[in-house]
Amino acid sequence: MKSFDTFEFTAIPSLNKMLVLELARCEYVLRRENIIALGNSGTGKTHVVLALGLAACQKGFTVTFMTAAALVSQLLEARDERRLLKMQRDLAAVKLLIIDELGYVPLSPTGAELLFEVFSQRYERGSTIVTSNLPFEDWTQVLGSERLTGALLDRLTHHVSILTMNGDSYRLKQSAGRRRSAARAEQNQATEIIDPETGEITAA
């Protein structure tokens, strides 16, 4: 489980660390406010919101985490199986709903409308956290409708804290660091050479 103990705030200078630590106190959940984490891929958005979800669980709040694509898929399946109302009630009852990766996969018109209903039913009734790799002006690309996008953002941003997480990919930095460490380890390993005449072993 991701926590703030393993998150390197220094890797993402654009992120307001004091705001994140304040949010970790979970008072926003009591106030039924929302959080939106915006930034390019690999900057740790999912890590941060999972850590916020863990903090909320530790405070005794009910938390549900899903990617936007998985949520929409389940909503469409529930509609086809005539259990949509139950799923909507269950989602509305959760104290903190975390929707990850909004913007990675364009939604069908029906899927976008069902997602809007989730936000609408939670408006001022429960807290929602959303992560996206897109700025607000590009959300229409995902939702497919300016009217729907405007209505969704109106509800989502009425009581909201926005976490800006732009910068170099956190994952790529970690990967590059591991490669550098491996290269240094290889360089530090002495190569043994055996003299065929004397049989002596020397280090290259």
Side-chain angles (χ1 to χ4, degrees):
M1 178 61 70
K2 302 287 188 180
S3 71
F4 290 120
D5 293 337
T6 56
F7 186 78
E8 295 182 24
F9 284 94
T10 55
I12 309 295
S14 65
L15 179 61
N16 186 335
K17 180 179 179 180
M18 295 304 295
L19 174 58
V20 173
L21 296 180
E22 172 65 24
L23 292 170
R25 296 171 58 188
C26 299
E27 293 178 2
Y28 73 96
V29 181
L30 295 172
R31 297 192 296 265
R32 301 180 180 88
E33 296 174 351
N34 303 321
I35 300 172
I36 303 175
L38 298 176
N40 46 297
S41 180
T43 52
K45 297 184 298 296
T46 300
H47 189 144
V48 167
V49 301
L50 280 172
L52 288 171
L54 177 60
C57 285
Q58 291 171 340
K59 296 283 188 180
F61 296 111
T62 53
V63 179
T64 295
F65 173 93
M66 304 177 87
T67 65
L71 174 57
V72 169
S73 177
Q74 290 190 27
L75 287 166
L76 289 167
E77 184 179 307
R79 183 202 59 169
D80 292 343
E81 296 177 358
R82 298 187 178 182
R83 52 181 179 83
L84 179 59
L85 289 178
K86 181 182 183 306
M87 183 175 179
Q88 288 175 329
R89 284 196 299 268
D90 291 344
L91 289 170
V94 172
K95 293 297 183 182
L96 175 60
L97 176 63
I98 303 174
I99 301 176
D100 196 26
E101 297 182 348
L102 179 65
Y104 287 83
V105 180
L107 305 177
S108 67
T110 303
E113 290 175 4
L114 289 173
L115 183 62
F116 171 77
E117 282 299 315
V118 171
F119 286 110
S120 182
Q121 290 165 3
R122 292 185 58 79
Y123 177 59
E124 295 189 329
R125 296 189 184 95
S127 293
T128 304
I129 299 180
V130 177
T131 75
S132 180
N133 62 321
L134 298 176
F136 292 139
E137 58 267 26
D138 292 339
W139 282 27
T140 305
Q141 298 174 16
V142 181
L143 299 169
S145 163
E146 290 186 7
R147 176 192 60 80
L148 195 65
T149 303
L152 186 150
L153 285 173
D154 182 61
R155 287 161 174 76
L156 190 60
T157 62
H158 185 200
H159 308 289
V160 71
S161 295
I162 297 177
L163 303 178
T164 302
M165 300 184 65
N166 287 312
D168 296 331
S169 172
Y170 182 64
R171 287 193 292 267
L172 286 177
K173 283 183 179 180
Q174 286 185 318
S175 178
R178 286 193 294 269
R179 287 196 299 270
R180 285 193 297 269
S181 296
R184 284 196 297 268
E186 288 179 1
Q187 290 173 357
N188 292 335
Q189 288 179 346
T191 303
E192 294 182 344
I193 299 176
I194 300 177
D195 189 314
E197 295 183 358
T198 65
E200 293 182 351
I201 300 174
T202 59

